[in-house]
Amino acid sequence: MCVSADQALERLQQRLQYRFADIAVLRQAMVHRSYLNEATEPGLESNERLEFLGDAVLGAVVAERLYTDFPNAGEGWMTVARSQLVRNEALGEIGRQLGLGECLLLGAGIANDGARERHSVLSRALEATFGAVWIDGGEDAARGVILRLLQQNFALLTAEEVQADPKSQLQHLTQSRNGAKPSYSIVEECGPPHDRLFRAVVEVDGIALAEGEGRSKQAAEMEAANRALASLMRDPS
């Protein structure tokens, strides 16, 4: 059944358990930059500014919750825990469950290429949504939405279960198998200066294992390492 844009946004508000006073802010959060090349609306902007805001809000809310819930945890543990909670796959899965894919305004090319199901796209749209909630309802509203959506992830998080960062895990795994260390390279850098997006490739013995994206080189490398780990665990040979 075909769902209209208004119906999709109504569903999204229900799943967020937050109703926008200004629905235009939520619509803005759904505008992917690829859509601007085909849009006819005058003055239309992408969701990148809202995404920038939402990323900062998300990081602050998660850091505060970790600080409060784990009073004996050190800075290193909290840093790794936060990276696991806000990585692309985790946020992308939440975005998928919310139905963000059906709400997004995308260029035809990227839409036909499966972008509505891509974790990297959904995670950024989710951060834009967090930014939109902050603009529309303020700090308390944004905190409530974020903590509600990440509730299950936090419930699974214990001091014992937080793993070493993906790069350390991958190095341990590859060295234990064949004595080789992973190497990383940044193969693409795009986006405006205030919101750069990096793409990294991780290799072992000259063989590319996986790619990852992030707003910093370190984040992109972490994402690549995490995907390489998942691939190697599925295929232990």
Side-chain angles (χ1 to χ4, degrees):
M1 181 178 64
C2 183
V3 178
S4 70
D6 288 344
Q7 288 173 322
L9 292 180
E10 176 61 29
R11 289 184 185 182
L12 178 56
Q13 291 181 97
Q14 292 174 2
R15 291 165 180 161
L16 288 171
Q17 297 182 40
Y18 176 81
R19 183 156 296 279
F20 280 77
D22 183 4
I23 195 66
V25 182
L26 181 58
R27 289 196 182 98
Q28 180 67 43
M30 298 299 111
V31 181
H32 189 269
R33 62 186 176 191
S34 65
Y35 183 73
L36 300 183
N37 297 325
E38 304 170 12
T40 58
E41 300 93 323
L44 187 67
E45 297 181 2
S46 78
N47 62 4
E48 289 177 344
R49 282 169 50 83
L50 284 174
E51 179 194 335
F52 174 80
L53 174 62
D55 175 57
V57 172
L58 173 64
V61 170
V62 169
E64 179 187 40
R65 179 65 178 268
L66 289 171
Y67 182 88
T68 302
D69 286 5
F70 299 92
N72 298 318
E75 183 268 344
W77 183 91
M78 290 191 292
T79 297
V80 175
R82 180 178 59 186
S83 70
Q84 292 187 15
L85 288 166
V86 303
R87 62 190 178 91
N88 274 350
E89 274 81 358
L91 297 182
E93 178 58 24
I94 293 173
R96 187 192 65 78
Q97 294 172 3
L98 287 172
L100 284 181
E102 68 177 4
C103 300
L104 285 171
L105 295 175
L106 301 168
I110 190 174
N112 293 333
D113 196 32
R116 295 186 189 279
E117 297 296 325
R118 199 175 299 159
H119 279 158
S120 60
V121 173
L122 292 173
S123 65
R124 292 166 74 87
L126 181 63
E127 289 171 340
T129 302
F130 293 153
V133 175
W134 176 285
I135 291 296
D136 187 77
E139 178 180 354
D140 289 343
R143 180 182 291 106
V145 168
I146 290 170
L147 293 179
R148 189 158 52 248
L149 292 177
L150 269 65
Q151 181 178 6
Q152 183 176 359
N153 299 44
F154 270 109
L156 296 173
L157 192 66
T158 69
E160 294 77 18
E161 288 175 342
V162 171
Q163 303 171 338
D165 68 83
K167 292 178 70 174
S168 298
Q169 291 184 65
L170 181 60
Q171 179 170 325
H172 176 76
L173 179 60
T174 58
Q175 286 187 310
S176 67
R177 289 188 178 182
N178 54 22
K181 288 185 178 181
S183 63
Y184 299 85
S185 57
I186 301 298
V187 296
E188 186 179 0
E189 182 178 346
C190 60
H194 71 277
D195 189 22
R196 303 299 286 168
L197 179 66
F198 299 89
R199 184 161 61 93
V201 173
V202 57
E203 300 181 347
V204 174
D205 284 339
I207 300 174
L209 297 182
E211 296 183 359
E213 294 181 347
R215 290 190 182 83
S216 68
K217 294 179 181 180
Q218 176 73 358
E221 291 174 358
M222 287 284 193
E223 191 72 15
N226 195 64
R227 292 179 178 178
L229 277 169
S231 176
L232 290 175
M233 295 306 291
R234 286 195 303 268
D235 181 13
S237 59

